[in-house]
Amino acid sequence: MSCYFQTQDTDLWNPSNSVARIFVGQVLTLSDEMAIESGVGEIIEDECEIDGDAFPAFLHALLLRHGNSNNQALRSLLEGVLAVGLVIAERAGWDMPSASTVDNSFWEEKRVQLARSMPTG
C-alpha cells in the first residue's frame, strides 16, 4: 500500500504508508514546535492534501531555522523534512522565497538527489 501526497488534483509523491506516516509525524512535530501551520493535512484513505499557501511558508521557516542554528543535531533533524519538502514544492511549482542564511546550492543538490527516489505514482 502507498499514500498519495497531493495538491488539488496533482500527485506530488507516492511513498509507502509507513514512510508517509513518518513524514507527516515529523512535519506535525515541527509545526507544533515552531508554532507555524505546515499545510500538511491528515492522511485520509491513503491520501494527504498539502496546502500550497501554508506549506512553502512552513518550509521557509524551517530553512531559516536550519540556517540560523549552530546545533548540528537540530540541523540534521531538519534536513530530512526539508529535503523531502523541497522536492514536493518543486513538483507543485510553488515558489520558495530565498533567504540570505540559506545555502541554495546545498539544498538544490539534496533536492535533485532525493527526487530520483521519490515516486509520484
Side-chain angles (χ1 to χ4, degrees):
M1 297 293 285
S2 62
C3 176
Y4 284 92
F5 284 82
Q6 305 167 317
T7 186
Q8 298 172 352
D9 291 328
T10 303
D11 293 337
L12 304 171
W13 184 33
N14 182 232
S16 68
N17 285 336
S18 61
V19 172
R21 285 189 303 270
I22 290 168
F23 177 71
V24 170
Q26 290 175 322
V27 165
L28 293 176
T29 298
L30 290 170
S31 177
D32 287 345
E33 176 64 27
M34 295 180 61
I36 184 170
E37 176 61 40
S38 71
V40 175
E42 294 180 46
I43 297 173
I44 300 171
E45 296 182 17
D46 298 327
E47 294 181 351
C48 182
E49 184 73 20
I50 300 180
D51 181 280
D53 292 322
F55 192 64
F58 172 72
L59 291 179
H60 183 67
L62 292 182
L63 285 167
L64 290 173
R65 180 85 180 257
H66 181 276
N68 290 324
S69 178
N70 62 1
N71 183 314
Q72 292 303 311
L74 174 62
R75 289 170 61 99
S76 182
L77 289 167
L78 295 176
E79 286 173 13
V81 171
L82 276 165
V84 170
L86 290 171
V87 172
I88 289 170
E90 189 271 332
R91 288 179 178 173
W94 296 323
D95 289 331
M96 287 301 303
S98 60
S100 60
T101 60
V102 175
D103 180 354
N104 290 322
S105 62
F106 172 80
W107 291 111
E108 179 64 12
E109 184 177 325
K110 284 230 181 241
R111 187 193 59 75
V112 168
Q113 287 177 347
L114 185 58
R116 290 179 270 219
S117 66
M118 288 178 61
T120 56

